[in-house]
């Protein structure tokens, strides 16, 4: 029996023991009978086990604060009020997500104290969390998101957003913007068999297909996390620390989502990560680290620096340009599930690309080619992001055939020859 119920029953017992004023004999007998009935009811009630706080409805006289703590939403609101009260009293302020007895951790009960501390230090944080469920009307492949903002005084200092969604390939909605952020040259593979990538500003990890399933022309269901501007990294020690914090956060959040989906199993935090990806001087005869791929002589000055992500992960990404911004991006996607996000763009818009083992499309400044290799489908993509010199330069046409041929040879998928459509 809980303490509050003991106190209430004890008060009733005291009331029953109060001395009465002498009355007429019949009234005294009636009162004695009523008191005896009350004592029997109390003894019967005390012999019963206390009500379960989770299973039984709260009685009308249950204290308001106790009822509030049963609600996850109310706990967060109450936490903010308690923090304000503590600050007003001069007490040490706790983060709203680490107050005692306030329920689950942020983002689907996943992010631990050490991860929150690595991301936000000891600043006050506010968490906006959506429950994970598909859109009940049109079943869009988005399940929800969680946003955490830290504050110094009343000023926001850092914000992290986690999303849970299935990557779309049928309509092509995730074939453009998502790769720009989450398949960038600054990202490296998570390693240790984890299907994902990470950097100092972005990270993503795919949920097991045994948990989520996957239809044709759809990519994996992923948890991705973003902090600040994508690709804004300097190679400093701060970047290394932020990358480690984002990596831990995306793995912990993914494990939380796996639990929320009713599946078993967990991912482990990677033991080590590859080195930060630095910009290097471009090698004219091994462009993007691919032997046999040459840089057109007219554009060597514009493509003077190159940055290449590590090998062995879901995708290998190369970006080349000057010190400030890339002019061209080239991607090789070897993860079979991830290649499906390009399904629509290889079949619909643009001019057809023909090849010895595959097909694709050339659409404006981007060419996407899908080849059938021994390991499954592989995507080769070349995208011009800026004009290197004069207007009208088409680097995609210049680079795509050579890139596909050299990359296919490098990964053991060659020989591969792509024929460009007439301009």
């Amino acid at each position: 029996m809980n303490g509050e119920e003991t106190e209430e029953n004890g008060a009733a017992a005291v009331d029953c023991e109060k001395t009465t004023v002498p009355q007429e004999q019949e009234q005294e007998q009636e009162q004695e009978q009523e008191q005896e009935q009350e004592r029997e009811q109390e003894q019967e009630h005390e012999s019963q086990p206390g009500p379960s706080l989770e299973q039984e409805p709260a009685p009308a006289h249950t204290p308001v604060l106790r009822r509030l703590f049963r609600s996850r939403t109310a706990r967060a609101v109450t936490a903010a009020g308690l923090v304000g009260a503590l600050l007003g009293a001069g007490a040490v302020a706790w983060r709203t997500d680490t107050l005692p007895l306030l329920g689950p951790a942020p983002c689907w009960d996943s992010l631990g104290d050490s991860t929150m501390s690595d991301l936000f230090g000891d600043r006050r944080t506010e968490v906006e969390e959506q429950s994970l469920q598909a859109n009940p009307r049109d079943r869009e492949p988005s399940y929800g998101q969680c946003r955490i903002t830290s504050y110094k005084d009343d000023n926001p200092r850092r914000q992290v957003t986690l999303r849970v969604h299935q990557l779309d390939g049928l309509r092509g909605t995730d074939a453009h913007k998502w790769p720009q952020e989450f398949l960038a040259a600054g990202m490296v593979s998570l390693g240790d068999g984890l299907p994902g990538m990470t950097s100092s500003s972005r990270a993503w990890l795919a949920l097991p297909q045994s948990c989520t399933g996957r239809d044709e022309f759809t990519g994996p269901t992923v948890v991705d996390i973003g902090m600040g501007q994508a690709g804004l990294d300097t190679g400093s020690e701060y970047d290394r620390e932020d990358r480690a914090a984002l990596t831990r956060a995306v793995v912990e959040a993914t494990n939380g989502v796996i639990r929320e989906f009713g599946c078993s199993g967990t991912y482990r935090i990677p033991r080590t990560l590859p080195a930060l990806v630095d910009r290097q001087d471009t090698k004219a005869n091994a462009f993007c680290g691919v032997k046999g791929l040459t840089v057109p002589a007219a554009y060597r000055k514009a493509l003077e620096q190159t940055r290449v992500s590590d090998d062995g992960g879901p995708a290998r990404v190369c970006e080349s340009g000057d010190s400030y911004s890339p002019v061209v991006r080239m991607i090789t996607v070897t993860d079979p599930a991830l290649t499906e996000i390009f399904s629509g763009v290889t079949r619909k818009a643009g001019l057809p690309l023909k090849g010895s083992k595959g097909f694709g499309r050339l659409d404006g400044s981007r060419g996407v080619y899908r080849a059938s290799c021994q390991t499954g489908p592989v995507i080769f993509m070349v995208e011009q992001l800026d004009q290197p010199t004069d207007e009208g330069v088409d680097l995609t046409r210049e680079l795509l055939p050579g890139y596909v041929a050299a990359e296919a040879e490098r990964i053991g998928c060659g020989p591969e020859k792509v024929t460009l459509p007439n301009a």
Side-chain angles (χ1 to χ4, degrees):
M1 185 179 298
N2 61 60
E4 290 171 338
E5 291 168 340
T6 302
E7 181 179 349
E8 291 165 2
N9 294 336
V14 171
D15 288 340
C16 292
E17 294 175 358
K18 289 181 181 178
T19 304
T20 60
V21 178
Q23 302 290 333
E24 295 180 2
Q25 187 68 27
E26 292 182 359
Q27 293 176 337
E28 290 179 354
Q29 291 178 355
E30 290 177 357
Q31 289 179 353
E32 289 176 358
Q33 291 176 355
E34 291 176 355
Q35 290 174 358
E36 184 65 24
Q37 290 176 353
E38 290 179 357
R39 291 192 186 97
E40 291 177 356
Q41 291 175 355
E42 289 173 9
Q43 292 174 359
E44 181 180 356
H45 177 73
E46 290 177 353
S47 66
Q48 299 292 329
S52 169
L53 292 181
E54 297 297 328
Q55 297 178 357
E56 296 291 334
H61 56 266
T62 301
V64 174
L65 182 60
R66 201 175 101 204
R67 291 202 304 270
L68 280 175
F69 277 124
R70 298 180 189 175
S71 165
R72 179 181 300 187
T73 303
R75 280 196 293 262
V77 175
T78 305
L82 289 176
V83 169
L86 289 171
L87 289 173
V92 176
W94 294 327
R95 285 205 316 267
T96 56
D97 55 283
T98 57
L99 279 170
L101 304 178
L102 295 186
C107 302
W108 316 293
D109 198 17
S110 64
L111 301 186
D113 288 342
S114 60
T115 299
M116 291 292 291
S117 179
D118 289 344
L119 286 171
F120 304 107
D122 58 357
R123 296 190 181 102
R124 176 176 65 88
T125 58
E126 292 184 1
V127 181
E128 303 167 76
E129 178 181 325
Q130 294 178 333
S131 59
L132 296 176
Q133 57 184 0
N135 188 317
R137 181 172 181 177
D138 51 15
R139 308 296 294 178
E140 288 184 356
S142 178
Y143 295 97
Q145 71 175 28
C146 178
R147 183 169 64 184
I148 309 172
T149 308
S150 66
Y151 292 84
K152 183 178 181 181
D153 299 325
D154 291 330
N155 300 315
R157 303 296 296 177
R158 171 174 278 191
Q159 189 172 87
V160 169
T161 302
L162 292 112
R163 301 180 301 169
V164 183
H165 58 120
Q166 185 178 56
L167 294 174
D168 166 64
L170 182 61
R171 293 171 294 178
T173 56
D174 287 316
H176 292 271
K177 186 177 180 181
W178 194 84
Q180 290 176 6
E181 292 192 50
F182 295 96
L183 294 181
M187 306 193 74
V188 297
S189 61
L190 291 172
D192 290 342
L194 297 176
M197 302 181 76
T198 185
S199 72
S200 61
S201 63
R202 297 290 186 274
W204 65 273
L205 180 57
L207 275 73
Q209 292 185 40
S210 59
C211 176
T212 62
R214 188 170 66 85
D215 298 328
E216 189 178 10
F217 304 129
T218 60
T221 299
V222 300
V223 178
D224 59 41
I225 182 170
M227 179 173 66
Q229 182 177 338
L232 188 62
D233 47 12
T234 61
S236 67
E237 186 61 31
Y238 292 111
D239 284 347
R240 193 184 309 276
E241 294 172 358
D242 285 343
R243 188 181 69 169
L246 285 182
T247 299
R248 178 179 291 273
V250 78
V251 174
E252 288 182 351
T254 303
N255 288 335
V257 173
I258 291 173
R259 291 192 300 269
E260 287 285 317
F261 283 179
C263 303
S264 60
T266 57
Y267 287 133
R268 293 184 179 180
I269 306 293
R271 291 167 292 182
T272 59
L273 291 173
L276 295 174
V277 183
D278 295 326
R279 293 173 176 83
Q280 305 288 340
D281 291 339
T282 299
K283 296 181 180 180
N285 295 322
F287 190 30
C288 288
V290 181
K291 186 178 180 181
L293 181 62
T294 60
V295 181
Y299 311 124
R300 288 179 183 175
K301 185 175 181 180
L303 305 176
E304 61 181 354
Q305 290 197 323
T306 300
R307 186 164 65 159
V308 186
S309 66
D310 67 318
D311 291 326
R316 184 178 188 267
V317 187
C318 171
E319 293 175 347
S320 185
D322 57 27
S323 302
Y324 303 100
S325 60
V327 172
V328 65
R329 177 187 294 123
M330 297 187 287
I331 301 176
T332 302
V333 182
T334 55
D335 180 87
L338 193 60
T339 62
E340 292 300 325
I341 69 174
F342 299 97
S343 294
V345 297
T346 57
R347 291 175 169 87
K348 296 180 180 179
L351 301 174
L353 293 170
K354 297 180 180 180
S356 50
K357 298 180 189 174
F359 58 91
R361 292 280 169 171
L362 183 64
D363 185 11
S365 60
R366 187 169 75 158
V368 182
Y369 182 80
R370 178 187 176 103
S372 297
C373 299
Q374 298 90 330
T375 57
V378 174
I379 288 291
F380 302 96
M381 188 182 85
V382 176
E383 183 177 22
Q384 182 175 332
L385 306 174
D386 198 1
Q387 288 290 344
T389 52
D390 301 326
E391 292 293 331
V393 172
D394 194 341
L395 276 178
T396 301
R397 279 182 168 268
E398 291 270 4
L399 295 171
L400 181 62
Y403 177 69
V404 173
E407 267 289 82
E409 194 68 31
R410 185 185 68 84
I411 65 175
C413 187
E416 187 71 53
K417 183 179 180 180
V418 173
T419 303
L420 294 173
N422 295 325

